[in-house]
Amino acid sequence: MQEPVKAGLLGLGTVGRGVYKILRDNAANITRKVGAPVQISRVLVRDTAKKREVEIEPALLTDNIDDILDDPEIGVVVEVIGGIHPALDYVLAALERGKSVVTANKDMIALHGKELYAAAAAGGVDLLFEGSVAGGIPVIRPLKQCLAANRIQTVMGIINGTTNYMLTRMTREGCSFEHALQDAREKGYAEADPAADVEGVDAARKLAILASIAFNSRITVHDVYVEGITRITARDIAYARELNYVIKLLGIAKETADGVEVRVHPTFIPVGHPLAAVNDVFNAIFIRGDAVGETMFYGRGAGEMPTGSAVAADLMDAARNRLHHVPGLISCTCFEQKPLKPTGLVESKYYVRLQVADRPGVLASIAYAFGDKEVSLASVLQKHTDGEKAEIVLVTHRVREQNFQDALRLVERLSSVDEVSNFIRVEEEI
Amino acid sequence: MQEPVKAGLLGLGTVGRGVYKILRDNAANITRKVGAPVQISRVLVRDTAKKREVEIEPALLTDNIDDILDDPEIGVVVEVIGGIHPALDYVLAALERGKSVVTANKDMIALHGKELYAAAAAGGVDLLFEGSVAGGIPVIRPLKQCLAANRIQTVMGIINGTTNYMLTRMTREGCSFEHALQDAREKGYAEADPAADVEGVDAARKLAILASIAFNSRITVHDVYVEGITRITARDIAYARELNYVIKLLGIAKETADGVEVRVHPTFIPVGHPLAAVNDVFNAIFIRGDAVGETMFYGRGAGEMPTGSAVAADLMDAARNRLHHVPGLISCTCFEQKPLKPTGLVESKYYVRLQVADRPGVLASIAYAFGDKEVSLASVLQKHTDGEKAEIVLVTHRVREQNFQDALRLVERLSSVDEVSNFIRVEEEI
C-alpha cells in the first residue's frame, strides 16, 4: 500500500466541511482512483475550541498556519477560507514551499490569478481551482483538457445561483425584485448584504476566470463590464414572456475580430435556448468551440457538497500528480495577451421600455431618432396605459453599443418621451 | 522547442478528417498546451490513391498497418476506423508495442474494454476514448476526474442522435416513425440500415461504457436491456404531451441496493426535466452523484468536428503524458465486480395504451387485474373512439418490472380487452 498523500485544509466552513465529508465517506474509491489514500492531516480554523458541525478529531485542528506550511509531509494545501486576506498570503506561501494548492476562491483567482500561477510555476506545483466557478459543475477541467483542441468562440453562463433563483421566482410568480430578494434571504440563498450577487460582481469574477482559460489570455474582474439585476421589474419580465424570451443574468465572453468582450448583465434569451430552462439555484455554462460546436454544462453552482465535490476532485488530481512526480502537469494557459474590445464596439440587440405621450406621431419620432444613429427596430409593441400616456416596448436589431447609447440619448430628449424605463440586452445566439 | 510527439492515424473517414483538420488549424495552441507539437506522421487508409476530402500530403498515407506499428517514433495511435475488425487487432498490437491509443470506437470499447485496458496496463500506456460516447461532449474525463470523488448514483442520457432527431420530428410534427426515419435518411442522420440506431444497440454500447466508468465495475453491451423506438407511434407521442411528458430514447444506469441496472428504452420524462429540452441530433448526459447532486452535459453527439474535438483532446493528453513520462496516469477504474440487478426487480412507472370494449365495468376489470399483481394506477384516461370501442391510457405508480409484466398478462386475457397497443416506461427522477 502506498503512503498516504497528506493535505492541509485551510478553513472548515461550508465547503471545508463538504470536502472533509467526501474524503471520509468515499475514501476507499478515492484511494483506488488516486493510487494512494488522500488524507487531511491538518485543518486550519480560527477557533480550535468551537463546536463543529462535522465530527473531526480535535488534534487535527490548529489555529496556526505554520503548522501546515512548515509540515514537510503536507504536499497539498486546500484553501477554502475565501476572500483575499489572509487566503492569498497563505496560498502564496504554500506554493513557494513547493506544496500544490487547491482552492475554490473565485475572488482570489479572478484578481490574482497571474501572480498565483507564477508562484505555482516557480514552486513546480499544481494550482487547481475547479471549485471557484459554478460549484460542482465540471467546467474548468473540461475547458483545459476536453475542449483543449478547440478555439473557443463563446462562453455564456448562468454563474450566480442567488440571482438565478430570484429571476426564476420573478418569472414564475410575477413578483417584484424586492419580494424575490426577501424570498432568497429566507431560503438562505442570499446573504445579509446581497450586493455582490445582485450587482453582478460575483458573476463577473467567475466570468473573468472562465474567459482567461477559454481565450488563453489573462482577464481580470476589472476587465468585465458589469450590470446587476436590481433594475429588473416584474413588467420587464412580463414583456420578455410576451416576446418569447426569458431574462437571465448572464456572463458573456466572446472572442471577436475587434478583441475579447467580457460582460455580465441581465439578458433576454429566447425561450428555446438551452440556458433558458436553467432555473432556481442551478448554474449552467454554454460554450461554443470551433470544432465541438455548442456544448453546455449544468448543475448546482454552490453548496457544501457540490463545491466540495469539485475541490475533492482537484485534490485527487493534485495527489495523483505528486505520486507520479508530475505536479503542474497542466498549468497556466494564458499564453497570449489579447486586446479587450472597447465597450462601444460590442454588438447586441436591445429591448427598450419607454413611457410616452399617447398621441399620433410619437412612435414615428422615436423610430426616427433610432434611425438617425443607424439603429433599426425589429419589433415594437405599443401599450395604452390610459388616454394620455402609453408604454412602448421595442426590440432593436443588432447594433453597436455606441450607436445604441447615442440613439437613446436622442430619444430621451424627445418632448413626447417622458422616460426611458429600462433597456436590456438581447442575446439570440444559440 | 520540444521535439514533436508523433501520432499514427488509423482511418481517414469522417472523424479522421476532423482530427486531421483540428490538429492542422489549431496547431499553435495545441503545441503550447501540450508543450510540444503534436504531429500526425502517418495515416492508414484502405486505398492510398483515392481522392480525399481533405488536403493531405500523399507521402503520409499508407495502406500497411506495419508502417505505423513498426515505427518507433510513433508514440500514439489514433484509431478511427470503427467496428471490431480489424480495429481491435491494430489497437491491441499498438498497445503491446508501448504506443498509447486514442479511439472513438464504441463497439470495440463496449465489447473489449477489459482486454484493451489489460493490454494498455501491460504496455504502460494510455487508452483514451472520450470520442466513443456522445461525440464532442466531455463526459468520460468528467466522470474519471471531475466527478471522481462522488459515488455516482444515476447516469441517464440521450446518447443516440439519430433517434433523438426522429423523436423530435415526431413530437413537433406529429408524424409517424416511418416518416421520421425517411426524414432522418434524407438529412444524412440515419444510415441505409438504421437498425443499430432505431433498435437501441448503438445507445446500449455507449451506456455500457458510461456505466462501467460511473460504477467502477465492468459492464458490457450484453448486460444492457435494450428496446428501440420502432414501436413508438404518433398516438403515444400525443398522449405523452397530454400527460405532460415527452418521449426520449434514454440510456439509464443506476446503482441500487439490488445491483446495477442498465437499460436502453423509450421513456416518458416530465417536460420540466433537463433532458426533455434536448432536441434534434443533440445528446445530453444527466449524472447524479452523492456529492455533486444533479449535473448535465449537453452538445453534439456525432460528426466530423465534434467527435474530432474529443479525439484531438485525448491525443493532446496522451502526448502530454508521454512528454512527462507518465503514460497511463489515469487508467482503468473498474476495481469492483458489482452484480447486475435482475430485470424483474427493476422498478419503474409505466404508461400503457389499451384497446377495449366501450362498456361499463371494463375499466374496473382492468384496474382489478393490475391490483391483483400489486400494480396501482396513478392516472387513467378513457378515450372513446366509436360507440363500441374505446382506448384507455393509464400510468402506473412505481412498480417492479415482474409485477407489471404479470399484471399485463392478466389484462391481455380479459375478454373486454382487444389489444395492449403499447407500454412505455416512465422516469420521474429529476
Side-chain angles (χ1 to χ4, degrees):
Chain A
M1 182 56 130
Q2 279 272 6
E3 286 289 298
V5 176
K6 292 189 178 175
L9 182 64
L10 313 188
L12 198 57
T14 307
V15 178
R17 282 197 302 274
V19 174
Y20 188 83
K21 287 180 193 171
I22 291 167
L23 289 178
R24 178 193 67 196
D25 297 345
N26 294 338
N29 258 322
I30 289 172
T31 299
R32 282 184 293 199
K33 288 180 185 172
V34 171
V38 178
Q39 187 187 315
I40 301 277
S41 66
R42 218 69 206 270
V43 181
L44 179 74
V45 292
R46 228 176 308 185
D47 176 4
T48 56
K50 184 176 153 186
K51 175 123 183 67
R52 299 286 157 187
E53 284 174 48
V54 61
E55 232 179 274
I56 191 164
E57 210 184 307
L60 290 188
L61 301 178
T62 175
D63 55 9
N64 181 358
I65 181 68
D66 294 331
D67 285 347
I68 289 170
L69 293 177
D70 293 342
D71 184 342
E73 292 205 342
I74 289 181
V76 187
V77 166
V78 179
E79 185 276 307
V80 285
I81 306 172
I84 304 292
H85 299 292
L88 179 64
D89 290 340
Y90 293 172
V91 164
L92 284 172
L95 293 170
E96 279 158 15
R97 292 175 203 209
K99 298 182 197 300
S100 292
V101 168
V102 171
T103 175
N105 191 325
K106 55 188 174 286
D107 309 37
M108 184 177 76
I109 295 289
L111 213 51
H112 299 279
K114 191 175 176 182
E115 182 183 359
L116 289 164
Y117 258 135
V125 292
D126 276 311
L127 171 67
L128 303 174
F129 46 89
E130 182 71 79
S132 67
V133 178
I137 307 174
V139 60
I140 289 178
R141 190 169 287 98
L143 273 172
K144 286 214 169 207
Q145 288 185 262
C146 312
L147 303 178
N150 285 258
R151 193 168 55 76
I152 303 297
Q153 297 155 331
T154 303
V155 175
M156 206 157 80
I158 295 171
I159 45 182
N160 178 274
T162 308
T163 49
N164 202 43
Y165 177 81
M166 291 173 59
L167 290 172
T168 302
R169 290 273 77 72
M170 290 172 74
T171 300
R172 286 194 183 144
E173 287 136 37
C175 68
S176 68
F177 170 84
E178 290 73 21
H179 184 95
L181 178 57
Q182 186 53 34
D183 183 17
R185 277 206 175 103
E186 283 162 14
K187 293 271 193 324
Y189 297 148
E191 298 179 39
D193 177 4
D197 290 324
V198 301
E199 288 171 8
V201 181
D202 176 81
R205 289 177 185 135
K206 295 167 182 166
L207 185 66
I209 296 172
L210 290 177
S212 298
I213 299 168
F215 305 135
N216 306 316
S217 180
R218 176 72 52 203
I219 288 151
T220 79
V221 63
H222 301 308
D223 299 327
V224 182
Y225 170 85
V226 188
E227 236 177 69
I229 65 164
T230 52
R231 290 187 309 123
I232 304 297
T233 67
R235 234 173 151 67
D236 298 314
I237 300 256
Y239 281 125
R241 186 198 307 268
E242 190 174 338
L243 293 161
N244 264 321
Y245 293 97
V246 294
I247 301 180
K248 294 289 185 189
L249 180 68
L250 293 191
I252 301 175
K254 294 186 185 184
E255 184 170 358
T256 74
D258 302 316
V260 169
E261 54 181 79
V262 274
R263 45 198 170 102
V264 168
H265 51 67
T267 315
F268 273 48
I269 52 173
V271 289
H273 193 284
L275 289 171
V278 176
N279 288 314
D280 297 313
V281 293
F282 280 89
N283 284 16
I285 298 107
F286 174 92
I287 296 173
R288 181 194 297 276
D290 64 341
V292 76
E294 310 88 334
T295 59
M296 195 177 78
F297 303 82
Y298 167 94
R300 293 184 178 275
E304 174 181 299
M305 300 307 275
T307 306
S309 162
V311 173
D314 274 353
L315 173 52
M316 289 172 69
D317 268 9
R320 187 190 293 111
N321 286 350
R322 286 197 88 83
L323 275 181
H324 292 269
H325 311 292
V326 285
L329 187 62
I330 296 176
S331 63
C332 182
T333 45
C334 290
F335 312 112
E336 301 183 56
Q337 272 196 296
K338 292 182 180 170
L340 289 175
K341 185 169 182 166
T343 305
L345 295 186
V346 171
E347 290 186 4
S348 185
K349 298 173 72 168
Y350 292 82
Y351 150 94
V352 185
R353 184 160 60 85
L354 303 164
Q355 309 306 320
V356 302
D358 187 10
R359 60 171 188 255
V362 171
L363 188 55
S365 64
I366 292 168
Y368 184 83
F370 276 109
D372 193 48
K373 297 298 176 186
E374 291 171 66
V375 179
S376 64
L377 304 180
S379 65
V380 179
L381 299 176
Q382 178 145 359
K383 302 278 176 176
H384 294 264
T385 45
D386 59 43
E388 289 180 14
K389 299 292 174 190
E391 185 164 61
I392 288 181
V393 165
L394 53 87
V395 178
T396 73
H397 279 297
R398 202 170 165 76
V399 62
R400 285 191 174 167
E401 173 95 18
Q402 191 58 59
N403 294 48
F404 175 77
Q405 296 289 356
D406 290 348
L408 208 59
R409 218 145 301 138
L410 286 186
V411 168
E412 277 171 339
R413 275 193 231 121
L414 292 173
S415 63
S416 53
V417 172
D418 293 343
E419 181 189 272
V420 175
S421 302
N422 212 348
F423 67 88
I424 301 172
R425 289 167 187 82
V426 178
E427 192 67 38
E428 297 280 3
E429 185 181 19
I430 297 211
Chain B
M1 181 60 131
Q2 279 272 6
E3 286 288 297
V5 176
K6 293 189 177 176
L9 181 64
L10 313 188
L12 197 57
T14 307
V15 178
R17 280 197 303 273
V19 175
Y20 188 83
K21 286 181 194 171
I22 292 167
L23 289 177
R24 179 193 65 195
D25 297 344
N26 294 338
N29 258 323
I30 289 172
T31 298
R32 282 183 293 199
K33 288 182 186 172
V34 170
V38 178
Q39 185 187 315
I40 302 277
S41 67
R42 218 69 206 269
V43 181
L44 180 73
V45 292
R46 228 176 310 185
D47 175 4
T48 55
K50 186 177 152 186
K51 175 125 184 67
R52 299 285 157 188
E53 283 174 48
V54 61
E55 232 178 276
I56 190 163
E57 209 183 309
L60 290 187
L61 302 179
T62 173
D63 54 10
N64 182 359
I65 182 69
D66 293 331
D67 285 346
I68 289 171
L69 294 176
D70 292 343
D71 184 343
E73 292 205 342
I74 290 180
V76 187
V77 166
V78 179
E79 185 277 306
V80 285
I81 306 172
I84 304 293
H85 298 292
L88 179 64
D89 289 339
Y90 292 172
V91 164
L92 285 171
L95 294 169
E96 279 158 17
R97 294 178 201 204
K99 298 182 197 301
S100 291
V101 167
V102 171
T103 174
N105 191 327
K106 55 190 175 287
D107 308 35
M108 183 178 76
I109 297 289
L111 213 52
H112 299 279
K114 189 174 176 184
E115 183 183 357
L116 288 165
Y117 258 134
V125 291
D126 276 312
L127 172 66
L128 303 174
F129 45 90
E130 181 70 80
S132 68
V133 178
I137 307 173
V139 60
I140 289 178
R141 189 168 288 99
L143 273 172
K144 287 214 168 205
Q145 288 184 262
C146 313
L147 304 177
N150 285 259
R151 194 169 55 74
I152 302 296
Q153 297 155 332
T154 302
V155 175
M156 205 156 81
I158 295 171
I159 44 182
N160 179 273
T162 307
T163 49
N164 201 43
Y165 176 81
M166 289 173 60
L167 290 171
T168 302
R169 289 274 78 73
M170 290 172 75
T171 301
R172 287 196 183 145
E173 287 137 37
C175 67
S176 68
F177 171 84
E178 289 73 20
H179 184 93
L181 178 56
Q182 186 53 35
D183 184 16
R185 277 205 175 106
E186 282 162 14
K187 293 271 196 318
Y189 297 148
E191 299 180 38
D193 176 4
D197 290 322
V198 301
E199 287 170 11
V201 181
D202 175 81
R205 289 178 185 133
K206 295 167 182 166
L207 185 67
I209 296 172
L210 290 176
S212 297
I213 299 169
F215 305 136
N216 307 316
S217 180
R218 177 71 51 202
I219 288 152
T220 77
V221 63
H222 301 308
D223 299 326
V224 183
Y225 171 86
V226 188
E227 236 178 68
I229 64 163
T230 53
R231 289 187 309 122
I232 304 297
T233 66
R235 235 173 149 69
D236 297 314
I237 300 258
Y239 282 125
R241 184 197 308 265
E242 188 172 341
L243 293 160
N244 263 322
Y245 294 96
V246 292
I247 301 181
K248 294 290 185 189
L249 180 68
L250 293 191
I252 301 176
K254 294 186 184 184
E255 184 170 0
T256 74
D258 302 315
V260 169
E261 54 182 79
V262 273
R263 44 198 170 100
V264 168
H265 51 66
T267 316
F268 273 48
I269 52 173
V271 288
H273 193 286
L275 289 173
V278 176
N279 288 315
D280 297 313
V281 293
F282 280 89
N283 283 18
I285 298 107
F286 174 92
I287 297 173
R288 181 194 297 276
D290 64 343
V292 77
E294 309 89 333
T295 59
M296 195 176 79
F297 303 83
Y298 167 93
R300 293 185 178 273
E304 173 181 299
M305 300 306 278
T307 306
S309 162
V311 173
D314 274 354
L315 172 52
M316 289 172 68
D317 268 9
R320 188 190 292 110
N321 287 351
R322 287 197 87 83
L323 274 180
H324 292 269
H325 310 291
V326 285
L329 186 63
I330 297 177
S331 62
C332 183
T333 46
C334 290
F335 313 112
E336 300 182 60
Q337 273 196 294
K338 293 183 179 168
L340 288 175
K341 185 168 182 169
T343 305
L345 296 185
V346 170
E347 289 186 2
S348 184
K349 298 174 71 169
Y350 293 81
Y351 150 94
V352 186
R353 183 160 60 86
L354 302 164
Q355 309 306 319
V356 302
D358 187 10
R359 57 169 189 256
V362 170
L363 188 54
S365 65
I366 292 168
Y368 184 83
F370 276 110
D372 193 50
K373 298 298 177 185
E374 293 171 65
V375 179
S376 65
L377 304 181
S379 65
V380 179
L381 299 175
Q382 179 146 0
K383 302 279 177 175
H384 295 266
T385 47
D386 59 45
E388 290 181 13
K389 299 293 176 189
E391 185 164 62
I392 287 181
V393 166
L394 53 86
V395 178
T396 72
H397 279 296
R398 203 171 164 78
V399 61
R400 285 191 173 166
E401 171 96 16
Q402 191 60 59
N403 294 48
F404 174 77
Q405 296 289 356
D406 291 348
L408 208 58
R409 217 145 302 136
L410 286 186
V411 168
E412 279 171 338
R413 275 195 229 118
L414 293 172
S415 65
S416 52
V417 171
D418 293 342
E419 180 191 271
V420 175
S421 302
N422 212 349
F423 67 88
I424 300 172
R425 291 168 185 81
V426 178
E427 193 67 37
E428 296 281 3
E429 182 181 21
I430 296 210

